[in-house]
Amino acid sequence: MSFRRWRIAESDKTLSRRVAQRFGIEGFAAHLLTSRGFCSDEMISDMLGLHDDTAEFIDPFEIIDMEKAVDRIRRAIDSEEKIAVYGDYDVDGVTATALLYSYLESVGANAVYYIPDREGEGYGLNCGAVDALHEMNIDLIVTVDNGISAVNEVAHANSLGIDVVITDHHQEGDALPDAVAVVDPHRKDCVCRFREYAGVGVAFKLVCALEGDSFTVIENFGDLVALGTVADVVSLTGENRRLVRIGLQYLQESCRPGLSTLIELAGFSGRQIFASSVAFIIAPRLNAAGRLGKASHAVQLLITEDDEEATALAGELTAKNRERQAIEQIIDREVSEMLEKDRSVLYDRVIVIAGEKWNGGVIGIFASRICERYGKPCFIISYDGDKAKGSGRSIEGFSLYDAISACSEQLTGFGGHTLAAGINLRTENIDAFRQAINEYARERYPVMPSPELLIDCQLPPSAVNLQLYEASQLLEPFGADNPTPMIAVMGLKLTDIYGAGGGKHQRLTLERGGTVLTAMKFVTCDEDFPFRVGDVVDIAVTLDKSTYRGKDSLTLVVRDIRLSETHFDEINGDKLLFEKMMRGESLTEQERMELRPTRSVLGTVYRAACQGYSGESEVLGCRMKRVGVRYGALLTSLQILSEGGLVDFADDGTIICVEATERGAESGKISPEKTPTAMRVGYINN
């Protein structure tokens, strides 16, 4: 995971105490609410679920064009016209398709559903699909989770005599499609009270309008609404929160054979299902259908009433998910091999990595992983012949959409938003795109944004207990705009490190002021854990509860750990300066001096390399500063020693592995000034 600035939420203790007293809740829960901006009685009641769930939902007709959509669909039902529900291949689109199709079928409509192929057709309505639906004698297309930008495709449908009703939740473009109705709460001329629905949320509101009774619809389809809403990472505030809270209850004991079987295969049968369970366990299995197979199989899983078919489809999706994980591992290995040969891509402001015939359904997942790992905007591109497609992810403060818009000359197509985007381009233009987007970043961002870890509060170890976890659960479900609470505990002495899970995880014992805490650092092997017994560290943790033999206990899950002496701005500044040097950009004399190691520093770094090191480079930087070596000089020294063949210096951006080579051990005098890096920063002084 990338080196991140810790940002602790501001606290208004007076307001928190007032909220705690007003609503009879623990102070920690009150702090979470107020520090996240939920300050009014209405907002707090909504977040705590104090509103009666039998109260009316927001009127679906508040969404613009809803009445037009309902009138046209009802006319199609009454006239027995053939209706096609046109969805999308992700979980949001699949659940929205299943919801609307199931409802139409239940009221006797002549309906079919259509999910475009991710690889062959791509996202959204396309003219080829419209032609295919025309051949099926479709009279009306109703889109879910797509269509707001389908101006040409709707015009084509109109030319064939097919009416189109759009339901979507994405931002509109320069023009709206000429459809019978365009139901999208994000339309600029829509004045509805709540806009942040997922695609399945808009489909839910459409069915509520058709049925005239929201409660019947939520009873029948609440599980689908919760599933799609959580999976699409839309804001879990407002009505979305209520939809997910109710829907999770129905999902717990879903009456859909396919969904209940999938949940059982995921190991969640009989266990409480949280929003996090949906996001990380259930949704990826549904998504696997669209990534590696046919997304229509996921729809069929959700609508089937046949137990045998449900078992077969759930097994298929589970197998596809395992296949997806295997493909990710293959791509990960290939990327690691690329970086071993050429680390220069990691020094770019925007990371662009391309591979031949990488699975198009997986590159988005991998882009997210690379972005998280290195703390930089990233594009993963797959090319096949002369065509290439890429998926990008970003960090807060760097708009991918603005960046690719500025590089549009290198692309044949693009779309997305601030933090995620997709591109199409010719293979021959991949290098030109990498150069163009990095040039844009250089001109627009003199200092690139750095990733942040948002922490709700800092607490003394004595305040970290099971009651804290119980208080936090008042804010479930957690998700976008209401994340799982994160707390920081500073100045803890690490008294024990125990490898768990065959050395794949670390169980830590920490102490301060007589209070002892136990925490888990998952997915960190023994050799890559850079901390030692006796270190004084700060930890950022989330809270969980485990139960053993009927007894509950608190589990602290470490999300980040650092030496207490860490100074983010100094280390991050040195890192950015080192990367600037490695990109070959011109340096001022002051900048060269900050990076330039003395011969004495080189010797100190070499002796440290002889002892070996594996772990976060920032941790090594803190240790070396104790002996007078700044982080920038450390990185420069390692690069010089590596170029001289004296040190093996493998750096994937987050984990650095350093050891002296045999040549280094046998060599006599070092002549570092002859290496390329030494020549960049100037002569190495004695």
Side-chain angles (χ1 to χ4, degrees):
M1 184 176 291
S2 62
F3 185 50
R4 297 174 289 178
R5 182 194 306 275
W6 289 17
R7 181 159 65 85
I8 299 176
E10 295 182 0
S11 173
D12 184 333
K13 295 182 180 179
T14 301
L15 178 59
S16 294
R17 282 195 296 268
R18 189 184 310 137
V19 168
Q21 292 171 359
R22 168 78 174 82
F23 290 90
I25 60 177
E26 293 288 338
F28 181 55
H31 166 77
L32 292 174
L33 288 165
T34 56
S35 65
R36 295 177 178 191
F38 306 115
C39 299
S40 70
D41 283 3
E42 178 69 20
M43 296 174 74
I44 293 171
S45 295
D46 178 58
M47 292 301 296
L48 297 179
L50 300 180
H51 291 309
D52 185 356
D53 280 339
T54 63
E56 288 295 328
F57 287 85
I58 295 174
D59 185 353
F61 288 99
E62 285 190 12
I63 304 177
I64 196 166
D65 276 7
M66 184 66 80
E67 188 170 352
K68 293 178 182 178
V70 168
D71 288 346
R72 182 63 187 92
I73 294 171
R74 281 177 176 166
R75 179 153 52 88
I77 295 171
D78 294 341
S79 302
E80 297 185 355
E81 294 178 88
K82 196 168 186 180
I83 305 171
V85 179
Y86 192 102
D88 184 31
Y89 38 70
D90 67 4
V91 176
D92 188 19
V94 163
T95 52
T97 302
L99 190 160
L100 182 55
Y101 170 78
S102 296
Y103 174 77
L104 291 174
E105 188 180 54
S106 72
V107 296
N110 183 10
V112 298
Y113 64 85
Y114 187 98
I115 304 289
D117 178 69
R118 182 190 291 266
E119 290 297 311
E121 298 175 87
Y123 168 78
L125 196 62
N126 66 82
C127 290
V130 172
D131 289 336
L133 294 173
H134 179 60
E135 291 293 322
M136 296 167 59
N137 298 315
I138 294 297
D139 300 294
L140 173 64
I141 297 174
V142 183
T143 72
V144 290
D145 193 30
N146 72 95
I148 192 67
S149 61
V151 174
N152 295 331
E153 292 78 9
V154 171
H156 181 59
N158 290 340
S159 73
L160 297 176
I162 302 175
D163 284 346
V164 181
V165 167
I166 303 292
T167 76
D168 202 350
H169 71 122
H170 296 100
Q171 300 286 341
E172 66 176 286
D174 295 333
L176 291 175
D178 184 21
V180 173
V182 181
V183 181
D184 188 330
H186 282 291
R187 277 179 54 173
K188 297 171 185 175
D189 53 352
C190 184
V191 293
C192 55
R193 279 178 284 171
F194 185 72
R195 295 173 177 269
E196 304 305 320
Y197 300 105
V200 71
V202 180
F204 166 77
K205 301 305 284 189
L206 172 64
V207 172
C208 290
L210 287 165
E211 181 67 15
D213 180 4
S214 298
F215 300 106
T216 299
V217 179
I218 197 69
E219 287 176 1
N220 289 325
F221 303 109
D223 53 351
L224 299 182
V225 178
L227 186 50
T229 299
V230 171
D232 213 51
V233 201
V234 292
S235 177
L236 287 193
T237 58
E239 190 163 83
N240 277 349
R241 186 166 182 79
R242 184 180 177 194
L243 292 174
V244 170
R245 187 169 55 241
I246 297 172
L248 286 175
Q249 296 173 14
Y250 290 113
L251 187 62
Q252 191 75 47
E253 296 181 2
S254 178
C255 61
R256 302 176 202 285
L259 195 50
S260 61
T261 304
L262 190 70
I263 291 170
E264 181 180 355
L265 290 177
F268 266 79
S269 182
R271 296 169 58 185
Q272 184 174 358
I273 296 177
F274 296 98
S276 58
S277 316
V278 171
F280 299 110
I281 304 297
I282 302 170
R285 286 164 167 76
L286 279 174
N287 252 333
R291 295 188 189 281
L292 301 181
K294 294 181 179 293
S296 57
H297 288 188
V299 178
Q300 191 60 30
L301 174 89
L302 297 176
I303 65 175
T304 186
E305 297 179 359
D306 183 272
D307 290 341
E308 289 187 7
E309 183 181 35
T311 300
L313 288 169
E316 176 190 329
L317 265 60
T318 300
K320 287 292 183 186
N321 191 52
R322 287 195 293 267
E323 182 182 347
R324 185 264 303 171
Q325 293 169 332
I327 291 173
E328 287 180 40
Q329 291 176 356
I330 292 172
I331 296 176
D332 207 354
R333 283 198 301 270
E334 292 183 6
V335 169
S336 296
E337 291 170 1
M338 290 179 183
L339 297 179
E340 284 178 10
K341 296 177 182 177
D342 180 13
R343 293 204 306 272
S344 64
V345 65
L346 295 179
Y347 303 131
D348 283 345
R349 291 172 172 85
V350 180
I351 296 174
V352 178
I353 301 175
E356 187 173 11
K357 295 182 180 179
W358 284 344
N359 187 281
V362 170
I363 58 175
I365 297 175
F366 203 71
S368 296
R369 185 175 300 171
I370 293 293
C371 179
E372 174 77 9
R373 184 181 298 171
Y374 300 113
K376 293 184 176 185
C378 167
F379 275 92
I380 302 297
I381 298 175
S382 173
Y383 61 87
D384 186 358
D386 62 352
K387 294 182 179 180
K389 64 186 296 186
S391 185
R393 298 293 184 272
S394 191
I395 63 174
E396 290 289 345
F398 186 93
S399 171
L400 275 193
Y401 187 80
D402 290 347
I404 58 178
S405 296
C407 305
S408 59
E409 291 184 0
Q410 311 298 335
L411 307 174
T412 58
F414 65 90
H417 49 81
T418 302
L419 297 180
I423 58 173
N424 292 295
L425 67 165
R426 297 182 63 81
T427 301
E428 62 188 21
N429 288 337
I430 292 175
D431 287 340
F433 170 72
R434 176 187 174 187
Q435 294 173 12
I437 198 167
N438 274 283
E439 180 62 20
Y440 166 86
R442 185 187 69 80
E443 293 178 354
R444 187 69 178 272
Y445 298 87
V447 177
M448 284 289 287
S450 56
E452 292 187 331
L453 182 66
L454 305 181
I455 296 174
D456 288 290
C457 63
Q458 177 182 333
L459 294 173
S462 58
V464 181
N465 52 42
L466 190 59
Q467 288 69 38
L468 206 67
Y469 168 82
E470 299 293 352
S472 73
Q473 294 308 288
L474 292 176
L475 273 73
E476 277 278 8
F478 296 118
D481 294 331
N482 181 45
T484 302
M486 182 94 64
I487 65 171
V489 188
M490 310 296 198
L492 293 163
K493 184 176 181 180
L494 189 53
T495 59
D496 190 31
I497 304 169
Y498 175 74
K504 296 179 181 178
H505 316 295
Q506 305 300 314
R507 179 179 287 112
L508 313 177
T509 304
L510 308 112
E511 185 271 337
R512 191 186 101 192
T515 299
V516 177
L517 298 177
T518 301
M520 290 297 302
K521 182 72 170 69
F522 290 106
V523 197
T524 302
C525 59
D526 296 339
E527 56 268 28
D528 289 337
F529 189 68
F531 300 93
R532 310 165 183 163
V533 170
D535 282 341
V536 178
V537 299
D538 304 332
I539 59 173
V541 298
T542 54
L543 311 176
D544 201 358
K545 182 176 73 172
S546 58
T547 303
Y548 181 69
R549 293 183 177 178
K551 184 178 180 180
D552 295 334
S553 61
L554 179 69
T555 298
L556 303 182
V557 180
V558 177
R559 302 302 180 182
D560 204 358
I561 178 172
R562 65 187 188 185
L563 291 171
S564 291
E565 65 211 72
T566 302
H567 296 286
F568 177 88
D569 289 335
E570 179 181 305
I571 290 178
N572 192 56
D574 281 5
K575 176 186 176 184
L576 293 176
L577 186 56
F578 175 76
E579 290 180 348
K580 180 180 179 180
M581 186 254 307
M582 293 303 294
R583 290 193 296 266
E585 297 177 14
S586 61
L587 301 175
T588 67
E589 179 57 27
Q590 178 63 36
E591 288 173 333
R592 284 196 294 270
M593 287 181 61
E594 290 178 13
L595 291 174
R596 185 183 300 153
T598 65
R599 192 174 295 275
S600 173
V601 165
L602 274 176
T604 300
V605 174
Y606 178 72
R607 287 190 293 274
C610 290
Q611 298 175 22
Y613 177 83
S614 180
E616 285 81 3
S617 60
E618 296 81 14
V619 177
L620 179 60
C622 287
R623 297 195 191 284
M624 296 301 293
K625 189 178 180 182
R626 296 171 184 169
V627 293
V629 180
R630 274 188 62 127
Y631 186 58
L634 166 66
L635 295 178
T636 305
S637 297
L638 289 171
Q639 188 66 29
I640 290 171
L641 293 169
S642 176
E643 291 170 358
L646 304 173
V647 163
D648 282 335
F649 167 38
D651 179 13
D652 72 355
T654 55
I655 297 296
I656 184 173
C657 301
V658 183
E659 60 181 357
T661 63
E662 291 184 7
R663 173 186 164 187
E666 296 171 356
S667 67
K669 203 168 183 179
I670 302 173
S671 299
E673 64 271 11
K674 296 181 180 180
T675 65
T677 296
M679 295 177 70
R680 289 193 189 106
V681 297
Y683 181 73
I684 310 299
N685 296 313
N686 289 322

